[in-house]
């Protein structure tokens, strides 16, 4: 049995049965068995079923929000926002199912037609993290099902309850057994079964770069297609010509979302030296206005970190930085509330090679670096093996264009701290992964292209 605890107070939230190897294989069998019928449905039929799933979940939104608040620690307002975002994927792909168009190509043979079709890739599997227990699942499942694939999913062991609740609604909406399956259990064993089965034609993984690399190596044996949404180390650059108030608003929102446990969280904040002191002072005032608390409140609060491992990592990164001479301008230690709560922290005086700069912090820590000019900061921003997102604030048009071209990231966000919505291609480059989720690009990940030559017009 897997017991799920509330990170805010350690109380039990619920239990789910773990699947053993035989049960995981049975779920894979069901996923494969369901593929022929699901993929041969009309796109409009799949669309109708997805829409029913969307409506059923939407009617139960408050129960989902409370469950996520208790299971993950995020506050209610964030949980509601995540549900709207996640429902958006079901709605979007219910529509997109009907638009998986092919092509005709001018023929090279006067007696033939040349046609390109797109077909569902097959039964697929997904593995998801705990930081967005709802949206991470709908973003993968809705896309796969819309394309005609069937999907078995393994959610994170910290947040499986939201996944099973989504499954319950899926069944109510008419998504049959096999078309969408959820399994929990030993992650390594499940990973080996899913990647090793030649019938599973694709793995979509969101999580750490280390596990992503392991899964990619396991997928090599059966040449499986993959989507990898891995770690990030986002630079957030503020130039002296920026609207400082807007930059602080964007930074605080992006950094404190989910207590900093987000792959697109600003990790290295670069502020131009001419505005450095003023920026840091105003940032501290802004952060000080936000409460740290358990999330069952109506307003935005910084919640606990998700588990002891995550908490220990943040403590260790900040302690190492302090020992190396970083200046703690705010916070810098576990919160007086105890448990997994950590104080929102502002640090300066850091080196580019400090562990705080080279690892994903995944906590409410603002690590601020000073820079002199554009050329220098672009080079430093790109000095990472990650390439998920890069943010910059500037009012200069020419600079914006140069940044959009030169920053090495799958997503470049100028003068905003907000990245995600259903209609954009979300994803990274370098060791942040490959493949895109959301938008019309997302569904392409679940189809293969088939060229058909239809000759014989002369017969
Ligand atoms: P993680 O440790 O890689 O876990 C992610 C998922 O992989 C969980 O379901 C986990 O299962 C499973 N897993 C762990 N070891 C496995 C193995 N050997 N074989 C198969 N599955 C395995 O990542 P995390 O710490 O939960 O999540 C945070 C990471 O995700 C960060 O690096 C963050 O940047 C990244 N992330 C990326 C994106 C993006 O879109 N690029 C979005 C969100 C998060 P258990 O939970 O059962 O251990």
């Amino acid at each position: 049995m897997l017991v799920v605890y509330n990170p805010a107070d350690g109380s039990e939230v619920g239990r789910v049965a773990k699947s053993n190897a035989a049960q995981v294989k049975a779920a894979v069998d069901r996923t494969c068995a369901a593929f022929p019928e699901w993929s041969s449905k009309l796109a409009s039929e799949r669309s109708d079923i997805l829409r029913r799933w969307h409506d059923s979940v939407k009617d139960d939104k408050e129960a989902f929000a409370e469950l996520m608040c208790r299971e993950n620690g995020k506050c209610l307002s964030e949980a509601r926002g995540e549900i709207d975002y996640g429902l958006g994927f079901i709605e979007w792909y219910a529509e997109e199912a009907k638009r998986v168009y092919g092509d005709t190509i001018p023929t090279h043979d006067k007696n033939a037609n040349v046609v390109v079709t797109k077909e569902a890739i097959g039964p697929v599997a997904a593995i998801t993290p705990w930081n967005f227990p709802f949206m991470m699942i709908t973003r993968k499942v809705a896309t796969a099902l819309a394309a005609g694939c069937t999907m078995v999913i393994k959610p994170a062991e910290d947040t499986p309850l939201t996944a099973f609740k989504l499954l319950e609604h899926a069944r109510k909406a008419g998504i049959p057994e096999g078309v969408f399956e959820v399994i929990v259990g030993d992650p390594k064993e499940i990973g080996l079964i899913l990647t090793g089965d030649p019938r599973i034609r694709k793995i979509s993984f969101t999580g750490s770069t280390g596990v992503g690399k392991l899964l990619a190596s396991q997928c090599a044996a059966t040449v499986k297609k993959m989507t990898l949404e891995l770690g990030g180390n986002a630079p957030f650059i503020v130039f002296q010509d920026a609207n400082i108030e807007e930059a602080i608003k964007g930074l605080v929102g992006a950094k404190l979302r989910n207590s900093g446990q987000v792959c697109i969280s600003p990790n290295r904040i670069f502020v131009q030296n001419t505005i450095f002191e003023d920026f840091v002072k105003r940032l501290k005032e802004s952060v000080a206005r936000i409460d740290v608390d358990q999330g069952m409140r109506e307003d935005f609060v910084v919640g606990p970190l998700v588990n002891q491992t995550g908490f220990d990592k943040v403590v260790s990164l900040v302690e190492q930085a302090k020992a190396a001479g970083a200046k703690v301008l705010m916070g810098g230690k576990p919160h007086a509330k105890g448990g997994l709560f950590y104080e929102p922290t502002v640090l300066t005086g850091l080196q580019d090679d400090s562990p705080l700069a080279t690892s994903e912090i995944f906590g409410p820590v603002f690590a601020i670096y000073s820079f002199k000019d554009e050329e220098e900061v672009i080079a430093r921003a790109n000095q990472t093996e990650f390439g998920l997102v890069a943010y910059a604030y500037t009012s200069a048009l020419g600079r914006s264009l140069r940044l959009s071209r030169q920053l090495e990231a799958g997503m470049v966000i100028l003068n905003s701290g907000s990245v995600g919505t259903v209609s954009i291609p979300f994803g990274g480059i370098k060791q942040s992964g490959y493949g895109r989720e959301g938008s019309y690009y997302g569904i392409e990940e679940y189809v293969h292209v088939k060229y058909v030559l239809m000759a014989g017009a002369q017969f």
Side-chain angles (χ1 to χ4, degrees):
M1 208 38 99
L2 182 62
V3 185
V4 180
Y5 298 100
N6 183 338
D9 58 13
S11 62
E12 184 179 324
V13 184
R15 293 168 180 236
V16 289
K18 282 189 183 185
S19 304
N20 59 28
Q23 289 163 323
V24 174
K25 284 179 188 154
V28 172
D29 288 345
R30 290 195 294 278
T31 306
C32 297
F35 177 72
E37 191 181 334
W38 182 254
S39 58
S40 58
K41 275 191 190 306
L42 293 177
S44 59
E45 291 174 320
R46 292 198 297 271
S47 173
D48 287 346
I49 295 173
L50 283 172
R51 192 164 275 283
R52 285 206 294 275
W53 186 32
H54 168 275
D55 294 348
S56 172
V57 173
K58 193 172 176 189
D59 286 346
D60 206 12
K61 178 173 167 181
E62 273 314 291
F64 268 103
E66 283 185 21
L67 175 62
M68 283 159 68
C69 179
R70 290 190 296 126
E71 184 177 45
N72 167 280
K74 64 179 64 192
C75 63
L76 272 184
S77 58
E78 280 198 79
R80 289 180 186 133
E82 182 184 337
I83 293 166
D84 291 341
Y85 185 18
L87 280 170
F89 286 105
I90 309 181
E91 189 178 43
W92 179 275
Y93 284 107
E95 289 303 314
E96 209 62 20
K98 297 180 266 185
R99 301 190 187 107
V100 182
Y101 302 134
D103 274 315
T104 57
I105 292 179
T107 186
H108 56 279
D109 173 347
K110 64 181 173 15
N111 290 315
N113 285 357
V114 177
V115 174
V116 175
T117 60
K118 289 183 183 166
E119 293 178 345
I121 195 166
V124 298
I127 300 177
T128 56
W130 45 264
N131 57 352
F132 291 92
F134 182 98
M135 180 277 285
M136 286 289 165
I137 292 176
T138 59
R139 184 156 81 174
K140 294 185 193 302
V141 176
T143 321
L145 268 51
C149 298
T150 50
M151 178 173 260
V152 54
I153 192 154
K154 190 210 96 58
E157 66 181 20
D158 286 314
T159 57
L161 302 174
T162 303
F164 280 102
K165 198 168 168 59
L166 277 165
L167 180 70
E168 238 175 77
H169 281 277
R171 292 287 182 269
K172 256 202 278 177
I175 297 179
E177 193 174 75
V179 172
F180 171 30
E181 293 279 336
V182 178
I183 43 168
V184 290
D186 180 283
K188 207 169 159 194
E189 182 179 66
I190 294 178
L192 282 167
I193 294 171
L194 297 179
T195 54
D197 195 315
R199 297 171 300 168
I200 296 288
R201 296 309 310 143
K202 176 196 170 90
I203 302 277
S204 176
F205 172 73
T206 300
S208 60
T209 297
V211 174
K213 285 179 184 176
L214 174 73
L215 293 172
S217 69
Q218 290 173 195
C219 282
T222 52
V223 196
K224 267 189 220 332
K225 185 166 174 165
M226 294 193 88
T227 291
L228 291 174
E229 299 278 9
L230 308 178
N233 185 353
F236 190 106
I237 308 168
V238 186
F239 288 92
Q240 65 181 10
D241 59 22
N243 179 325
I244 304 298
E245 205 175 310
E246 282 300 314
I248 290 176
K249 206 165 113 196
L251 173 61
V252 172
K255 181 75 224 184
L256 294 183
R257 181 172 173 225
N258 215 14
S259 308
Q261 305 167 110
V262 185
C263 54
I264 52 173
S265 190
N267 212 54
R268 295 167 297 146
I269 301 149
F270 295 102
V271 180
Q272 198 152 20
N273 52 7
T274 44
I275 55 164
F276 193 83
E277 296 303 324
D278 180 46
F279 183 90
V280 171
K281 180 172 157 283
R282 287 162 70 177
L283 173 66
K284 275 169 51 191
E285 288 164 5
S286 177
V287 176
R289 286 196 282 275
I290 297 168
D291 260 4
V292 174
D293 203 353
Q294 59 79 26
M296 286 287 191
R297 287 174 30 170
E298 285 302 317
D299 53 341
F300 174 81
V301 287
V302 175
L305 297 176
V306 75
N307 57 30
Q308 196 63 45
T309 311
F311 179 84
D312 292 345
K313 180 181 172 193
V314 173
V315 171
S316 155
L317 286 174
V318 173
E319 289 309 315
Q320 288 178 68
K322 285 188 323 201
K327 275 209 268 177
V328 180
L329 303 183
M330 193 175 180
K333 57 183 187 310
H335 197 276
K337 280 185 180 301
L340 300 174
F341 289 94
Y342 196 85
E343 287 190 1
T345 293
V346 178
L347 296 174
T348 59
L350 296 152
Q351 302 302 315
D352 283 5
D353 60 356
S354 86
L356 205 65
T358 54
S359 13
E360 237 183 334
I361 304 170
F362 253 52
V365 178
F366 295 82
I368 311 184
Y369 307 77
S370 150
F371 72 91
K372 212 166 134 222
D373 60 38
E374 182 183 316
E375 194 182 340
E376 172 206 323
V377 78
I378 290 176
R380 288 169 69 193
N382 288 339
Q383 214 174 68
T384 165
E385 71 266 30
F386 297 107
L388 188 57
V389 62
Y391 304 86
Y393 275 75
T394 174
S395 57
L397 178 62
R399 173 175 286 149
S400 295
L401 288 172
R402 290 190 294 279
L403 290 165
S404 71
R405 291 175 183 178
Q406 292 171 29
L407 287 170
E408 294 171 3
M411 300 176 285
V412 174
I413 308 297
L414 300 171
N415 298 313
S416 173
S418 174
V419 176
T421 177
V422 300
S423 54
I424 59 102
F426 188 101
I429 59 171
K430 295 161 83 175
Q431 293 187 36
S432 289
Y434 44 76
R436 293 294 178 267
E437 293 189 313
S439 76
Y440 74 86
Y441 294 98
I443 206 159
E444 298 289 327
E445 306 279 332
Y446 290 92
V447 294
H448 55 231
V449 166
K450 183 179 272 182
Y451 151 56
V452 181
L453 177 76
M454 297 193 293
Q458 74 274 34
F459 305 138

